[in-house]
Amino acid sequence: MATGDLATADMVLNIGPQHPATHGVLRLALTLDGERIVRADPVIGYMHRGAEKLFEVRDYRQILVLTNRHDWLSSFGNELGVVLAVERMLGMEVPVRAVWLRTLLAELNRVLNHLMFLGSYPIELGAITPIFYAFREREEIQAVMEEISGGRMHYMFNRVGGLKEDMPAGWPDRARAAVRRVRVRVRDDIDALVRGNEIFRARTRGVGVLSRELAEAFGVSGPIARASGLDVDLRRDEPYLAYADLPADVLRVVTRTEGDCLARFECLLDQVYVSLDIAEHCLDVLDSLPVGPINVRLPKVVKAPEGETYAWTENPLGINGYYLVSRGEKTPWRLKLRTASFNNVQVLAELLPGELLADMVAILGSMFFVVGDVDK
Amino acid sequence: MTQVPGKGLVHGLGVTLRTMTTRSVTQEYPHVRPDLPPRSRGVIALLEENCTVCMLCARECPDWCIYIDSHKETVPAREEGARPRTRNVLDRFAIDYSLCMYCGICIEVCPFDALFWSPEFEYAEHDLGFMTHERDRLREWMPTVPAPPADVLNAEPAKEVPS
């Protein structure tokens, strides 16, 4: 507080909903005492599209279109949650080729997502260069994703029972080459440019420390939780797809204990290498698999039997879950969506008070969220 | 971490210097056309001759952006004693690309292969209202539809091979 001889008044400062620092329409109502934040309220819902309600009037294939879009940076992971839930309800056996190809594409999608934040986070701290490198690498992988699925962001490639199509001839080699190029260039360019940079470290080290307890209390997940020492990764802890068959030296879980912005950024950066390793391993396995189908022939109308299930996956930004309740119709009776960004943003109310206003952008940016994923 | 002050910055400048000497990755788009893969979802083309007005695409579309009008015509009996047949005739087939989400469900459900993806993407307009494209425009995109790419060797062979 101020010295006492001067009467001070708290100031309420609105960051957003239209503000370049919030990448999207998140609004932060900050109460300031001078330069210091005393209260922070994330105001969400400016981009609410009623995704859960829309799910209820669409069949499972049409739902995939929507799940592609609530977190537009992890479309493949989102599709995956829904199809896994429906397949579990139907007791459907997914062909082994589809399982490995899904794992591969999920990891490539994770790299794409992380590269976005690896580029945009330095921008928020005033470094413009890394985003160009990040986007060059994104382009590399997007080209690979476009060749197999036809889409660069909204893949629409999962189907209940497998994937839409198999890999085009020559694609595995092109994917492998892209993975190799990206790995080298992430290491030599983005990593070399940002990780050791004094200005970047000064802006992020010890800033916005998220304790493990707080992360647990708010249900924070993904790289942000792992940067606080919360060692949870569904790929290892509750394996879905082919993650259980990955050797432990391929599926490494990146953790940090510091919980500050730098730790969160480094978690993201190191996870890119892990994902690229997993992708390469999947490509090798896919090469060795025998001839087989990529999907299951479906009836004209896919109806999940009456019942309920909860399918959660380790999305690039954290735990993404779908609670599917079906009454045996072709549309779900209820499809509850648990998104990673929603929980990760809520913790800002605890994280920001006490910090300086100048650090606000650094902390906000390091929570790595997609507003569409927050507002659903 | 103890290191020489400014080492990270110098290192970063080294990256910049190295990148400066490499070839540019920018594609000069209007002058250089992008090389798009055959599966690219650019625009939906209509092969009108195959359409039987079954309305499946319009019904399955998640945002109902396909407009179909048709009428019934009576075809007189071909031979003595046979009944005259009725058949559907397409009056209007339009896709509103300002609503389309490019999911491809319409193409997937079409039982008579009347709809195809084309990588063509240059159909931007100045007004959303002009984004509804009628059947003659959709037909014009048919020549841009590429042949589907061959699959990898250990993929299951396709059940139907396009002639």
Side-chain angles (χ1 to χ4, degrees), chain A residues 58-59 61-62 65 69 97 133 136 146-151 154-156 159 164-169 172 188-189 192-193 196-198 201 286-287 289-293, chain B residues 1 3-9 11-12 15-16 18-19 25 36-37 39-41 59-64 101-103 105 108-109 149-157:
Chain A
R58 271 159 181 78
D59 66 31
R61 180 163 49 185
Q62 293 174 332
V65 185
R69 283 161 172 80
R97 291 179 60 77
Y133 294 100
R136 185 183 64 192
E146 187 181 13
E147 193 188 341
I148 190 166
S149 73
H154 303 309
Y155 308 112
M156 193 59 198
R159 291 293 180 275
K164 185 168 171 259
E165 288 161 301
D166 211 306
M167 301 173 276
D188 292 351
D189 294 349
L193 203 57
N197 186 296
E198 281 88 354
R201 294 183 82 87
L286 276 166
D287 274 351
L289 287 178
V291 176
Chain B
M1 202 198 289
Q3 60 169 17
V4 191
K7 193 186 162 210
L9 300 181
H11 204 75
V15 172
T16 309
R18 184 158 40 80
T19 313
V25 291
L36 294 170
R39 283 185 188 174
S40 227
R41 299 200 301 265
R59 257 191 300 167
E60 288 286 320
C61 176
D63 43 13
W64 304 293
M101 297 207 284
Y102 296 85
C103 63
I105 288 178
E108 214 165 291
V109 294
D151 282 346
V152 286
L153 290 175
N154 52 358
E156 197 180 43

Side-chain angles (χ1 to χ4, degrees), chain A residues 197-217:
Chain A
N197 186 296
E198 281 88 354
I199 302 170
F200 183 80
R201 294 183 82 87
R203 288 289 311 269
T204 53
R205 204 147 97 194
V207 172
V209 177
L210 173 68
S211 70
R212 196 197 145 114
E213 291 69 36
L214 203 57
E216 269 172 357

Side-chain angles (χ1 to χ4, degrees), chain A residues 123-134:
Chain A
I123 274 201
E124 278 151 17
L125 300 176
I128 300 171
T129 319
I131 191 123
F132 298 110
Y133 294 100

Side-chain angles (χ1 to χ4, degrees), chain A residues 47-51 54 69-72 371-373 375-376:
Chain A
M47 210 199 263
H48 182 62
R49 292 152 293 177
L54 292 173
R69 283 161 172 80
H70 64 78
D71 174 359
W72 48 79
V371 177
D373 205 27
D375 291 346
K376 300 174 209 175

Side-chain angles (χ1 to χ4, degrees), chain A residues 342-359:
Chain A
F342 182 81
N343 291 55
N344 295 357
V345 158
Q346 300 309 318
V347 80
L348 284 170
E350 294 287 323
L351 207 53
L352 284 175
E355 298 284 347
L356 289 170
L357 180 62
D359 287 334

Side-chain angles (χ1 to χ4, degrees), chain A residues 262-304:
Chain A
L262 183 63
R264 289 193 275 274
F265 185 80
E266 286 187 344
C267 257
L268 218 58
L269 191 48
D270 289 339
Q271 247 175 240
V272 170
Y273 299 118
V274 175
S275 290
L276 290 172
D277 286 350
I278 298 177
E280 213 156 44
H281 185 87
C282 291
L283 278 165
D284 291 341
V285 172
L286 276 166
D287 274 351
S288 66
L289 287 178
V291 176
I294 195 79
N295 47 27
V296 176
R297 206 177 156 79
L298 293 174
K300 267 224 171 62
V301 181
V302 177
K303 289 179 176 172

Side-chain angles (χ1 to χ4, degrees), chain B residues 37-115:
Chain B
R39 283 185 188 174
S40 227
R41 299 200 301 265
V43 76
I44 297 164
L46 169 72
L47 187 60
E48 221 180 285
E49 297 88 317
N50 281 0
C51 180
T52 62
V53 203
C54 69
M55 306 292 278
L56 269 179
C57 51
R59 257 191 300 167
E60 288 286 320
C61 176
D63 43 13
W64 304 293
C65 69
I66 303 179
Y67 310 114
I68 300 176
D69 286 335
S70 69
H71 68 272
K72 278 196 161 62
E73 258 176 23
T74 310
V75 186
R78 284 223 195 108
E79 49 198 85
E80 199 69 31
R83 277 182 296 121
R85 307 277 170 168
T86 57
R87 67 182 190 102
N88 290 318
V89 180
L90 190 66
D91 291 330
R92 180 184 186 217
F93 192 107
I95 299 178
D96 187 348
Y97 283 103
S98 61
L99 291 177
C100 177
M101 297 207 284
Y102 296 85
C103 63
I105 288 178
C106 50
I107 294 163
E108 214 165 291
V109 294
C110 181
F112 302 103
D113 286 343
L115 293 168

